[in-house]
Amino acid sequence: MGEFSQQLEQAARLFARAEEGAHEQGGIISGDNPVVYNPNDPFRLWVIQVVIIISMTQLLALPLGKLRQPRVIAEIIGGVLLGPTVMGRIPNFQATIFPTDAMPLLSLTSTIGLILFLFLVGLEIDTRMIRRNVKASFTVSIAGLLIPLGLGAALGVGLYRRFIDPAVNFGYFLLFTAVAVGITAFPVLCRILTELKLLETQVGVVVLSAGIGNDVIGWVLLALTVALVNASSGLTALWVLLVCLGYCLFLLYPVRWAFVWLAKRTGSLEQGSPTTFMMTVTLLLVFISAFFTDIIGVHAIFGGFMAGLIIPHENGFAISLVEKIEDLVSILLLPLYFTLSGLRTNLGLLNDGVAWGYTIIICLVAFASKFLSCGAAALAFGFQWREAGAIGSLMSCKGLVELIVLNIGLQAGVLNEKTFSMFVVHALVLTFLTTPLTLLFYPSKYRTTALPKPSKARKDDVEGSSSEKKPTQNDETRTRFSLVLEKVEELPAAMALSQLLHPTGSPASTSTTLALPISSDPDVKEVLVGDDDKREGPRSAAPVISIDALRLMELTNRSSAVLRSTQEADALMYNDPVISIYRAFGQLNQLAVSASLSIVNYDDFTQAISEHVVNSESEMLLIPWSRGATSVIPTPPEMGAAPSGFGVRNPFDGIFHKTTTQDQTSSVVHSEFIRGVFLRCPCDVALFVERGTSTSSLSTAQHLFLPFFGGPDDRLALTFLVQLCSRSSVTATVVWMKKSEELSPQTSDEMDLAGKATSPMMTSPALSHAPHLTIAAADTVYGAHNTQTRMASDTADNLAWEKYANPDPAPPSSVTSAIGRITFSTESSPTPLHRVTELVHAETEKIAENNGRTMIVLIGRSRRLAVESLTGELRTIISETGSHIGSSVSKTLGDVGAALVAKNANASLLVMQGSAASATAS
């Protein structure tokens, strides 16, 4: 009988005992201790075990994740710590928390998790990927198997003579040691390649393809070994292998054909998501396959692995299927298996120099056999020594597959606890070394992409700008923009902002080309779509606006994310709904749009954005920040008005319900991300904060408002406002706000406000470009002006204002028409922030009366070289309104933006920050 069947039988006896001895009790109220194992109710202790195991894994995963180590390291170390090596030395700990009688239920649960995990491993293997650089991959795979298998068997001779009981079959032991040394952990390898951004490099392509072949052959060898160990004779082992081979052929052909047919008939393959019926069929297939391989004498996990191989990968079906079960497996079930491995690992048995000497030899042989053989094969195919070193380091990765092999050997009696512990140490060491060695041999500056690089002329021809030079940073009209798209909720804000950028009479109206250019960035997937016709004929005076949209997708530890990044990234360029919708928007609005896809860790989003800006040579980065989620809260009529801070009250709220929209600026995590972009982006940045109440107006008119305080960010906002007003349906109001030196005798309330708002200027002695770090996150606060920089900034402010408010000489016709739609004025107030909020409120009311669109307020972020310090007055406004905005709001939006948020202004915000180079230049 197979191991899985034995565990089911033990669990059945356990529950039968529970039914026979069940009796009424009051639980802990009657003095029952849930920590004491009770065969009548094993669930209690099982929950305690699960909580301890998961907590230990999560605590270890946090620091190890910072070291860029895979999660399996935390799971293995957590099991070792909970075992006899560390916590097992606490008196009665193991007998209380992990008693022998409670192990069958924990073992059964972990085996179910292991079967599902091996199903996911098989599902991750896409044989289509082997075709990429097939010769080099095949050679690396074969070299990485034959030499390690031979050296592993040779190493087993010494281990057998020194540590193994002669009653154990010598040949079986050599087989296990050979497989343990020769196998490569493909699932961990995928995660490391994705984490290090190597998937689209030459190294990543070869290692991934070689890893697939290595993994499949390794599992076949393991199945062979298990069959030999479990068989009573050589003839029985032969029958077991023949039955296993027949079953594999049965699964890979007729069963796979039936599964694909059923997926098509139910619409699952067409939709790219399995129906409930298909999920039922899939799970039954997994467990029936595991059951069959278990009863014929091969381990149950081999059946789960084979079931994963037949799942189709078309249209994202495999990814969607993985998403439905991966969290249950990786968070709950799989850590149980590695904890059981840790409970069997006793490093205290390695209590002499000989044992540790052999452990070091195992590590050296396992690493050297993989590293040298795979590295030499790579060198033979023309790879550089750095690339060959990275290939050798990656192929030596062990991880969880090694642990599975070792546990099977221990359960079969081929390995004893001492040799098992030695091999566990070797698996930990080699897996831990994989990432740092790869980075040492193959840092990012030496990496080459496996995709062909397009010529620069080709990209320019597509975008219709080959005859134009790229505008310099100081040009007034910006024509090349990058747009960040992370969520589908950001599309309305992105579309509203993009439509404003398109000037009237653009040449794109006669010929529109949509480009998805191939990037040299290995993490960015870009392809060319649409027609390739070049624009011909005379150009109009209006500039050609091009937008390079960057679609960001978070790379997590989930198997679905790894699948998406390794196998489906190319298809996502065409199938991702966010890209598709924005692409259609660009075509309908005659915008030259290119799209890129980057799948990276969330912490690397800012770096991916900066690299995209540099590669696309963009002059300004656009970041849409969509309004918060809207919820419907039933409200009885007697409840009255909505609480403050929830926006404008619907007149039907008292009758039916109340709708409330969460303020997106309260998101601390997203605020830190935006500040990181402000800090690191090498070009100008425009953050569009979608706020205000949506109107049902069909009017295309848009009104802009700019409170001009001065400084580089405000000058950028003024220049950009003039560019936006080149669109005939856009009007604007610009007010130069000046803080009064002396209070005018207006009202005593205003005098009090001015007194409260007084705040000393920053006293930094010199202009610095180092970011100011706070507890919340990085903040781009720079030193205050000295006399020279203040005079230069004041002069630049006056010149910029005169250039547009009183143009002399006359500007070009396009600028003249834009200025004609702008109203300029100057105001002085001892409380400028209060005055700005009053002006914005008056403008929004005027627009509401005229049934226009929501107003957009352009503001300079002014966290760098601010003319006035408005922090004190901002605190006063927050205190007056009783607003609960945090310090992250002013750090992200600036003081003016934070004041408008605190006052709940019914207007969207466009927060501008000039690049550091333009700030110092001005």
Side-chain angles (χ1 to χ4, degrees):
M1 185 178 293
E3 179 195 350
F4 188 40
S5 307
Q6 291 174 356
Q7 292 173 353
L8 285 174
E9 184 181 0
Q10 290 174 350
R13 291 174 184 167
L14 193 117
F15 284 115
R17 247 190 354 257
E19 289 180 3
E20 292 172 2
H23 60 278
E24 264 191 62
Q25 57 179 344
I28 59 173
I29 299 176
S30 301
D32 187 20
N33 185 357
V35 179
V36 176
Y37 175 69
N38 181 4
N40 298 326
D41 191 3
F43 173 75
R44 302 174 181 180
L45 186 59
W46 183 84
V47 171
I48 294 173
Q49 293 169 341
V50 167
V51 170
I52 292 175
I53 291 168
I54 294 178
S55 301
M56 177 67 75
T57 301
Q58 294 294 335
L59 286 175
L60 291 172
L62 290 175
L64 289 171
K66 299 296 182 182
L67 298 176
R68 308 182 81 168
Q69 293 297 325
R71 184 183 177 87
V72 64
I73 294 286
E75 293 169 343
I76 298 174
I77 295 177
V80 172
L81 293 179
L82 290 173
T85 303
V86 181
M87 300 190 72
R89 298 180 181 275
I90 301 174
N92 296 323
F93 173 81
Q94 198 154 352
T96 304
I97 304 299
F98 299 104
T100 304
D101 292 340
M103 287 297 103
L105 185 58
L106 192 64
S107 181
L108 174 63
T109 312
S110 68
T111 303
I112 292 173
L114 188 62
I115 292 170
L116 291 174
F117 174 73
L118 264 295
F119 166 71
L120 297 181
V121 171
L123 200 150
E124 286 185 24
I125 294 178
D126 188 356
T127 53
R128 297 173 299 179
M129 301 180 67
I130 301 178
R131 302 168 192 167
R132 303 167 69 180
N133 210 336
V134 61
K135 291 184 179 179
S137 302
F138 178 78
T139 305
V140 171
S141 180
I142 293 299
L145 266 176
L146 294 180
I147 296 177
L149 287 174
L151 290 178
L155 177 65
V157 175
L159 289 171
Y160 181 86
R161 292 174 177 173
R162 182 74 187 184
F163 301 106
I164 303 300
D165 189 340
V168 176
N169 187 288
F170 179 66
Y172 297 165
F173 180 80
L174 294 188
L175 271 176
F176 264 103
T177 55
V179 172
V181 171
I183 201 166
T184 295
F186 179 74
V188 179
L189 188 63
C190 285
R191 282 152 182 79
I192 292 176
L193 287 173
T194 308
E195 167 76 19
L196 300 184
K197 307 175 188 176
L198 293 173
L199 288 173
E200 291 305 321
T201 63
Q202 292 284 0
V203 168
V205 169
V206 170
V207 169
L208 205 58
S209 302
I212 291 175
N214 206 310
D215 200 51
V216 172
I217 296 174
W219 285 113
V220 172
L221 290 175
L222 179 62
L224 170 65
T225 306
V226 173
L228 290 174
V229 171
N230 291 338
S232 56
S233 65
L235 183 62
T236 305
L238 178 61
W239 279 111
V240 170
L241 291 176
L242 290 175
V243 172
C244 187
L245 177 62
Y247 179 69
C248 291
L249 295 175
F250 175 69
L251 267 183
L252 292 174
Y253 292 100
V255 174
R256 187 179 192 280
W257 292 337
F259 188 90
V260 173
W261 177 84
L262 194 59
K264 291 179 179 178
R265 289 287 297 175
T266 58
S268 299
L269 207 57
E270 181 182 352
Q271 298 171 3
S273 177
T275 61
T276 304
F277 175 73
M278 281 306 301
M279 282 301 302
T280 305
V281 171
T282 303
L283 291 175
L284 286 176
L285 175 65
V286 172
F287 287 112
I288 291 173
S289 178
F291 173 76
F292 181 80
T293 56
D294 187 66
I295 62 175
I296 65 173
V298 182
H299 202 284
I301 62 173
F302 190 71
F305 175 77
M306 291 303 301
L309 292 178
I310 72 171
I311 304 298
H313 289 252
E314 288 78 8
N315 200 25
F317 177 82
I319 294 177
S320 181
L321 194 150
V322 170
E323 288 175 337
K324 295 182 181 300
I325 61 176
E326 60 183 340
D327 283 347
L328 178 67
V329 174
S330 61
I331 296 176
L332 174 62
L333 300 178
L334 197 59
L336 302 183
Y337 182 81
F338 291 110
T339 299
L340 286 177
S341 300
L343 293 175
R344 300 178 183 126
T345 303
N346 187 359
L347 298 184
L349 296 176
L350 309 181
N351 52 7
D352 54 27
V354 175
W356 280 107
Y358 268 97
T359 303
I360 295 173
I361 291 175
I362 293 173
C363 294
L364 291 176
V365 170
F367 177 76
S369 60
K370 283 282 188 180
F371 180 83
L372 295 177
S373 59
C374 296
L379 286 173
F381 273 87
F383 284 89
Q384 301 295 326
W385 69 271
R386 286 187 176 276
E387 295 173 325
I391 290 173
S393 301
L394 288 164
M395 291 298 291
S396 65
C397 178
K398 297 298 179 185
L400 44 86
V401 176
E402 173 86 0
L403 264 292
I404 295 171
V405 172
L406 296 177
N407 275 283
I408 293 175
L410 182 63
Q411 293 165 5
V414 176
L415 301 177
N416 56 30
E417 287 190 14
K418 194 166 191 174
T419 52
F420 177 81
S421 300
M422 292 162 65
F423 275 100
V424 168
V425 172
H426 132 265
L428 273 174
V429 171
L430 264 61
T431 307
F432 192 89
L433 289 177
T434 302
T435 298
L437 281 178
T438 304
L439 290 174
L440 177 65
F441 280 108
Y442 202 45
S444 56
K445 62 181 178 180
Y446 294 107
R447 296 174 187 174
T448 55
T449 179
L451 298 175
K453 295 183 182 179
S455 64
K456 182 69 171 82
R458 175 61 180 164
K459 182 176 179 179
D460 287 343
D461 286 350
V462 170
E463 295 181 352
S465 57
S466 58
S467 61
E468 293 183 325
K469 289 185 178 180
K470 175 185 173 294
T472 62
Q473 189 70 28
N474 293 326
D475 280 356
E476 297 174 359
T477 302
R478 286 158 176 81
T479 59
R480 296 184 63 87
F481 296 88
S482 283
L483 174 69
V484 177
L485 291 173
E486 182 189 354
K487 306 172 184 174
V488 69
E489 292 85 1
E490 294 173 349
L491 281 172
M495 292 176 180
L497 184 57
S498 301
Q499 193 174 28
L500 279 178
L501 296 175
H502 183 44
T504 307
S506 170
S509 61
T510 59
S511 176
T512 302
T513 301
L514 180 66
L516 296 171
I518 299 175
S519 169
S520 59
D521 184 355
D523 299 308
V524 179
K525 308 280 188 179
E526 303 177 281
V527 291
L528 181 64
V529 299
D531 62 64
D532 296 329
D533 298 334
K534 297 181 182 179
R535 295 182 177 87
E536 297 179 357
R539 292 182 177 270
S540 69
V544 178
I545 303 296
S546 65
I547 301 177
D548 294 292
L550 175 62
R551 171 74 164 110
L552 290 173
M553 300 184 73
E554 183 180 1
L555 175 65
T556 64
N557 289 325
R558 289 185 169 93
S559 299
S560 58
V562 177
L563 270 175
R564 187 176 287 112
S565 61
T566 56
Q567 301 175 15
E568 305 294 337
D570 294 328
L572 277 174
M573 282 301 304
Y574 299 98
N575 301 326
D576 181 66
V578 176
I579 294 178
S580 300
I581 294 171
Y582 191 74
R583 186 163 58 209
F585 167 80
Q587 289 175 325
L588 293 173
N589 288 273
Q590 301 171 338
L591 288 170
V593 174
S594 63
S596 308
L597 175 68
S598 184
I599 306 176
V600 294
N601 290 328
Y602 186 81
D603 294 338
D604 295 330
F605 272 12
T606 55
Q607 180 183 351
I609 292 171
S610 299
E611 291 175 355
H612 176 77
V613 166
V614 172
N615 293 336
S616 62
E617 299 179 348
S618 299
E619 300 165 272
M620 181 176 288
L621 174 68
L622 309 176
I623 309 175
W625 197 355
S626 59
R627 66 177 73 246
T630 299
S631 57
V632 179
I633 304 176
T635 307
E638 62 271 11
M639 287 295 291
S644 174
F646 286 96
V648 179
R649 186 175 183 274
N650 191 309
F652 296 100
D653 283 348
I655 301 175
F656 300 107
H657 59 259
K658 179 183 66 182
T659 58
T660 65
T661 301
Q662 183 182 4
D663 186 357
Q664 72 268 51
T665 60
S666 62
S667 172
V668 177
V669 174
H670 200 66
S671 296
E672 292 181 1
F673 158 67
I674 292 173
R675 290 207 299 279
V677 176
F678 275 130
L679 179 65
R680 295 176 179 86
C681 186
C683 70
D684 299 335
V685 181
L687 170 65
F688 182 63
V689 186
E690 187 185 23
R691 294 177 58 82
T693 304
S694 301
T695 64
S696 58
S697 171
L698 299 178
S699 171
T700 59
Q702 182 70 64
H703 188 69
L704 310 177
F705 181 82
L706 169 62
F708 183 82
F709 285 85
D713 294 347
D714 280 38
R715 292 194 294 273
L716 171 65
L718 177 59
T719 303
F720 193 58
L721 179 138
V722 174
Q723 177 176 340
L724 296 180
C725 286
S726 62
R727 190 179 178 90
S728 58
S729 59
V730 179
T731 58
T733 300
V734 182
V735 179
W736 192 344
M737 296 300 305
K738 297 183 178 180
K739 190 172 183 179
S740 303
E741 293 290 340
E742 297 180 1
L743 297 179
S744 56
Q746 296 164 341
T747 63
S748 58
D749 291 339
E750 191 168 296
M751 294 175 66
D752 292 340
L753 287 175
K756 292 178 183 178
T758 302
S759 176
M761 293 290 290
M762 291 179 291
T763 58
S764 177
L767 183 62
S768 170
H769 293 283
H772 173 64
L773 299 179
T774 65
I775 294 177
D779 188 15
T780 48
V781 175
Y782 292 77
H785 287 290
N786 55 31
T787 303
Q788 181 180 359
T789 58
R790 176 173 292 283
M791 291 180 61
S793 182
D794 291 344
T795 302
D797 292 342
N798 289 318
L799 290 175
W801 182 265
E802 291 296 322
K803 182 177 182 179
Y804 298 117
N806 304 299
D808 185 25
S813 58
S814 58
V815 178
T816 302
S817 62
I819 294 176
R821 290 185 282 274
I822 304 174
T823 303
F824 293 90
S825 63
T826 303
E827 289 213 15
S828 243
S829 173
T831 55
L833 280 186
H834 284 81
R835 183 58 183 156
V836 167
T837 57
E838 292 170 1
L839 291 172
V840 170
H841 180 69
E843 292 283 345
T844 53
E845 285 190 340
K846 187 188 302 182
I847 292 174
E849 292 173 1
N850 297 329
N851 198 26
R853 295 172 65 182
T854 302
M855 187 175 69
I856 299 176
V857 180
L858 277 75
I859 52 178
R861 185 166 178 255
S862 297
R863 302 297 288 175
R864 158 195 302 131
L865 301 178
V867 173
E868 299 284 352
S869 176
L870 305 173
T871 306
E873 188 180 357
L874 174 62
R875 292 197 193 100
T876 303
I877 290 177
I878 295 174
S879 176
E880 291 171 349
T881 58
S883 180
H884 298 290
I885 65 172
S887 62
S888 63
V889 178
S890 61
K891 293 174 183 175
T892 307
L893 307 181
D895 292 340
V896 180
L900 293 173
V901 171
K903 284 284 191 177
N904 201 20
N906 187 23
S908 297
L909 307 179
L910 188 59
V911 184
M912 312 290 298
Q913 176 177 286
S915 64
S918 63
T920 54
S922 59

